[in-house]
Amino acid sequence: MNTTTTTWPDRSVVQPAIERPTAMRLAKTEYLRVTEAVDALRSEDWTRPTDCSQWDVRQLVAHIAGQTNLFSTPFEVARQIRRAKARQQPGQAEVDALTALQVEERQHLGPEELRAELRRAGPRGAKGRRRIPGFLRRRRLPGAEVVNGVPETWSLGYLTDVILTRDPWMHRLDLARATGRAAVLTAGHDGVIVSDVVAEWARRHGQSYRLELTGSAGGSWSSGTGSEDIVMDAADFCRVVSGRTGSHGGQPLGLLATQVPF
């Protein structure tokens, strides 16, 4: 498929590019899949380190549960934001304060309690995100996010329709790497998430490219001429552009140094 590229970001608020019904289908399915991945964890897995260097598997699952709950109700999103701001340290990013809160609020929970919370939170989180009206989703979030060294303003819809699905999806890959088991990836779900990531990556770098991603979530994309071919695993590509290290390690070069938020 071809992707039309433009320089990103422009002066407008970043809005989701993916269609709303598709975004909500992906949210519902991803909450189910990450819940299944957590259900499959063995007792010895919960203390394993993850690529999120400050968290082991149990702490990572605690964050996933808290983030899944975030937009389950208007009260919950207000509560989490209020408590995160109250405990935010000087120089600490708001998102870091929020994720730290989610982990700390669940530090007393064991594996079965975290599994049970995630089973409850998934349907509620998907429903809460689905019920956010369009006029709210178009509104800008306070503050700025720095991506590729450039501050940009996100809309609420970009957060709720895109980022809050990419987040558990990437953490599902983190869990797979931490436990040595392959993540379940399909074209109809994961391939759509990957395609949206590729399209945003292309908009952000705004250059000619030829990209072939392998695996069940992969595909081929190109724009312009004269570029080098990039061939790699689809999940590895997403890990690299998220700022994580791919399976081959090392610092990303060229267009792969362009990051996409997750």
Side-chain angles (χ1 to χ4, degrees):
M1 66 183 71
N2 292 323
T3 301
T4 301
T5 63
T6 57
T7 302
W8 182 296
D10 60 21
R11 295 181 180 178
S12 63
V13 178
V14 179
Q15 301 284 351
I18 196 165
E19 293 183 355
R20 173 73 170 169
T22 300
M24 293 300 94
R25 173 177 61 83
L26 294 174
K28 181 178 179 180
T29 301
E30 185 51 43
Y31 283 150
L32 176 62
R33 290 199 178 182
V34 77
T35 299
E36 291 172 343
V38 171
D39 282 343
L41 293 173
R42 299 179 293 247
S43 59
E44 62 269 25
D45 291 332
W46 290 84
T47 56
R48 296 186 191 279
T50 72
D51 287 340
C52 302
S53 58
Q54 295 183 340
W55 296 338
D56 61 15
V57 167
R58 195 202 67 81
Q59 292 166 316
L60 178 58
V61 173
H63 157 64
I64 295 170
Q67 195 84 316
T68 301
N69 267 309
L70 181 59
F71 279 89
S72 57
T73 66
F75 170 81
E76 179 61 15
V77 66
R79 186 195 70 81
Q80 286 198 33
I81 291 174
R82 182 177 64 252
R83 290 207 62 194
K85 285 184 177 180
R87 66 179 305 285
Q88 187 175 358
Q89 301 297 314
Q92 184 182 36
E94 290 183 10
V95 65
D96 293 335
L98 181 63
T99 57
L101 171 71
Q102 292 163 351
V103 174
E104 289 181 9
E105 287 188 332
R106 292 160 180 82
Q107 61 184 343
H108 63 288
L109 299 181
E112 291 309 315
E113 293 168 303
L114 287 170
R115 285 187 175 111
E117 180 181 6
L118 197 52
R119 292 188 201 108
R120 294 191 303 268
R124 289 203 306 256
K127 183 178 181 180
R129 289 165 60 186
R130 188 173 65 248
R131 296 173 75 173
I132 301 173
F135 78 92
L136 287 180
R137 297 198 310 276
R138 290 188 291 272
R139 289 187 179 180
R140 64 179 61 207
L141 293 172
E145 299 291 334
V146 178
V147 183
N148 298 304
V150 179
E152 58 188 47
T153 302
W154 292 359
S155 68
L156 176 62
Y158 181 68
L159 173 65
T160 60
D161 290 10
V162 177
I163 298 300
L164 290 184
T165 296
R166 288 180 184 170
D167 183 75
W169 185 80
M170 182 57 68
H171 288 321
R172 185 156 57 90
L173 300 184
D174 291 332
L175 290 174
R177 282 172 60 94
T179 60
R181 291 194 292 278
V184 175
L185 301 175
T186 63
H189 173 68
D190 308 272
V192 179
I193 294 174
V194 170
S195 182
D196 184 53
V197 170
V198 170
E200 183 171 329
W201 169 77
R203 291 192 298 270
R204 285 182 178 277
H205 65 64
Q207 301 180 46
S208 298
Y209 71 96
R210 293 175 60 87
L211 177 68
E212 181 180 348
L213 299 181
T214 59
S216 55
S220 297
W221 297 263
S222 65
S223 178
T225 59
S227 59
E228 294 184 6
D229 289 351
I230 300 175
V231 181
M232 61 192 303
D233 175 76
D236 234 16
F237 169 82
C238 290
R239 292 188 61 81
V240 169
V241 299
S242 77
R244 290 164 168 79
T245 302
S247 61
H248 300 295
Q251 293 297 314
L253 301 175
L255 297 182
L256 289 177
T258 301
Q259 292 191 4
V260 175
F262 278 79

